Coordinates of all heavy atoms in Angstrom, one line a residue:
D31 N 17.7 -8.9 -7.7 CA 16.3 -8.9 -7.5 C 15.5 -8.4 -8.7 O 14.5 -8.9 -9.1 CB 15.9 -8.1 -6.3 CG 16.7 -8.7 -5.0 OD1 16.7 -9.8 -4.9 OD2 16.9 -7.8 -4.0
S299 N -5.9 -29.7 -12.4 CA -6.0 -28.4 -11.7 C -7.2 -28.3 -10.8 O -7.2 -28.2 -9.6 CB -5.7 -27.3 -12.5 OG -6.7 -27.3 -13.6
P382 N 14.9 -23.0 -8.0 CA 16.4 -23.0 -8.0 C 17.0 -23.2 -9.4 O 18.2 -22.8 -9.8 CB 16.7 -24.2 -7.2 CG 15.5 -24.3 -6.2 CD 14.4 -24.0 -7.2
A434 N 32.4 -25.8 -2.6 CA 33.4 -25.1 -3.4 C 33.5 -23.6 -2.8 O 34.6 -23.1 -3.0 CB 32.8 -25.0 -4.7

Side-chain angles (χ1 to χ4, degrees):
D31 297 331
S299 57

